[in-house]
């Protein structure tokens, strides 16, 4: 398996986890997956405001981003 396939597999896992957490429809899942492919997960969350997603979804993703940032700042320790 090459690097691109491995990344896509991990992106797919992440999108599926997000879908379970915030109840994403298939179109939104696909849009987020494509964003992950283009910019990576970290840049997706950094540039969340520029992604064309429903407002409710964007707000939920901002909350997830906040949780990620807390763990980032604490070195992964809660």
């Amino acid at each position: 398996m090459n690097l691109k396939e491995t990344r896509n597999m991990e992106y797919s896992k992440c999108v599926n986890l997000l879908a379970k957490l915030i109840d994403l429809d298939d179109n939104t899942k696909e849009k987020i997956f494509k964003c992950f492919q283009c910019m990576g997960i970290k840049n997706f969350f950094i540039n969340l405001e520029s992604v064309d997603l429903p407002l409710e979804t964007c707000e939920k993703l901002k909350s997830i981003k906040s949780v990620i940032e807390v763990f980032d700042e604490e070195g992964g320790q809660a």
Side-chain angles (χ1 to χ4, degrees):
M1 186 178 292
N2 65 32
L3 182 59
K4 184 177 179 180
E5 290 171 340
T6 302
R7 280 189 181 145
N8 284 339
M9 188 172 65
E10 294 304 314
Y11 292 158
S12 181
K13 288 179 188 178
C14 290
V15 170
N16 287 327
L17 286 172
L18 287 173
K20 288 179 182 181
L21 283 171
I22 59 175
D23 193 31
L24 299 175
D25 62 51
D26 288 338
N27 290 335
T28 304
K29 281 174 57 176
E30 184 64 26
K31 189 178 284 189
I32 292 172
F33 179 77
K34 288 181 189 244
C35 287
F36 283 0
Q37 286 179 309
C38 290
M39 62 177 87
I41 295 172
K42 185 172 185 172
N43 285 328
F44 170 79
F45 281 102
I46 290 171
N47 299 299
L48 191 53
E49 299 289 331
S50 67
V51 180
D52 182 30
L53 294 170
L55 182 60
E56 181 181 351
T57 300
C58 195
E59 292 302 317
K60 290 176 181 179
L61 288 169
K62 285 180 189 176
S63 296
I64 291 172
K65 177 183 176 185
S66 296
V67 171
I68 292 169
E69 288 172 346
V70 166
F71 280 96
D72 240 9
E73 290 170 4
E74 297 178 2
Q77 299 180 16

